[in-house]
């Protein structure tokens, strides 16, 4: 006669010590309680499961400022700037944000998306004196060097390249000054003599 294999060997191995410790009646009673609790919570769980889960949405600049606890005379210009930031009329590009932060001595770090950088901009705005903040609020719609942002980035990159090694322009200048066709006396080799 062949021995029948158990359908749930792991379950049996887990139940064996429980039965040995508490006995069959106690384990069965606890199983009934667990089953009753699950049956009671079942409709509640299925209701919650049916509700759609809300996706996280990053708060807008205006919402971020709205959550701050500040005096109204300080909060109002910040809300105006935050509203303009959301509308892309204040620091409209990531380059503008980077430039704004650098000009105020802040490390912009890596700015992948403009909207993600508002926290850093807000930290700078909060440190500004009231008169400077009011002046910034009253400034034109496109505060920030939108057209100059890429140029500023290019200048900074070139400057960094020059600091780390010889620039291409320097090497060309050196080559021209050592041109074998011109001798130090001023006349060219192989050409017409230069009149004195």
């Amino acid at each position: 006669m062949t021995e029948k294999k158990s359908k749930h060997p792991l379950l049996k191995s887990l139940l064996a010590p429980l039965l040995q410790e508490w006995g069959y009646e106690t384990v069965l009673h606890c199983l009934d309680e667990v089953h009753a609790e699950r049956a009671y919570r079942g409709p509640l769980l299925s209701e919650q499961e049916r509700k759609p889960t809300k996706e996280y949405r990053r708060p807008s600049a205006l919402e971020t400022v709205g959550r701050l606890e500040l005096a109204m005379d300080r909060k109002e210009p910040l809300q105006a700037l935050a509203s303009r930031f959301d509308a892309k009329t204040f620091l409209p590009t990531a380059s503008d944000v980077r430039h704004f932060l650098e000009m105020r001595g802040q490390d912009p770090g890596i700015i992948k998306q403009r909207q993600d950088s508002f926290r850093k901009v807000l930290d700078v705005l909060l440190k500004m004196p009231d008169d400077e903040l009011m002046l910034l609020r009253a400034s034109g719609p496109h505060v920030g060097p939108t057209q100059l942002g890429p140029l500023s980035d290019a200048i900074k990159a070139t400057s960094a390249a020059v600091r780390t090694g010889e620039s291409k322009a320097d090497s060309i200048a050196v080559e021209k000054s050592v041109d074998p066709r011109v001798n130090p006396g001023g006349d060219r080799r192989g050409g017409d003599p230069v009149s004195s």
Side-chain angles (χ1 to χ4, degrees):
M1 192 161 116
T2 59
E3 202 175 295
K4 226 179 187 183
K5 286 190 175 180
S6 171
K7 287 184 179 180
H8 307 285
L10 178 61
L11 180 60
K12 279 191 174 182
S13 67
L14 292 172
L15 283 173
L18 296 175
L19 291 170
Q20 186 177 358
E21 181 69 30
W22 287 284
Y24 181 78
E25 292 295 322
T26 307
V27 171
L28 188 59
H29 181 68
C30 283
L31 282 173
D32 287 339
E33 286 177 3
V34 168
H35 181 68
E37 285 176 18
R38 289 194 68 173
Y40 174 74
R41 285 187 298 155
L44 296 176
L45 288 175
S46 62
E47 245 179 67
Q48 289 173 348
E49 288 168 1
R50 274 187 248 134
K51 288 181 183 176
T53 56
K54 291 182 181 178
E55 288 185 26
Y56 173 74
R57 184 185 64 82
R58 179 174 284 108
S60 68
L62 188 58
E63 291 169 339
T64 302
V65 171
R67 293 176 184 169
L68 296 175
E69 292 183 21
L70 298 168
M72 199 55 191
D73 62 329
R74 183 86 174 145
K75 196 171 191 173
E76 187 182 36
L78 288 172
Q79 285 178 323
L81 288 169
S83 179
R84 286 175 47 199
F85 186 87
D86 287 335
K88 293 187 178 180
T89 58
F90 171 63
L91 304 175
T93 68
S95 286
D96 294 329
V97 172
R98 191 177 312 107
H99 181 74
F100 176 82
L101 294 172
E102 287 172 349
M103 292 302 290
R104 279 146 185 88
Q106 297 294 315
D107 177 22
I110 297 171
I111 298 176
K112 291 183 181 178
Q113 291 186 355
R114 178 185 165 276
Q115 193 63 33
D116 296 342
S117 64
F118 183 71
R119 228 354 162 173
K120 292 177 181 181
V121 171
L122 182 59
D123 289 342
V124 169
L125 294 175
L126 287 170
K127 292 174 187 172
M128 281 184 176
D130 290 344
D131 56 339
E132 192 177 343
L133 193 61
M134 294 303 279
L135 185 65
L136 191 61
R137 177 188 179 204
S139 63
H142 285 284
V143 172
T146 306
Q147 289 80 17
L148 299 178
L151 180 60
S152 172
D153 291 344
I155 291 169
K156 187 169 36 167
T158 304
S159 173
V162 168
R163 273 185 257 125
T164 58
E166 185 181 69
S167 73
K168 190 174 183 178
D170 289 344
S171 62
I172 291 171
V174 168
E175 286 174 15
K176 284 184 179 179
S177 68
V178 201
D179 190 347
R181 293 176 290 169
V182 177
N183 72 17
D187 44 301
R188 301 168 188 249
R189 292 183 193 157
D192 296 331
V194 178
S195 58
S196 31

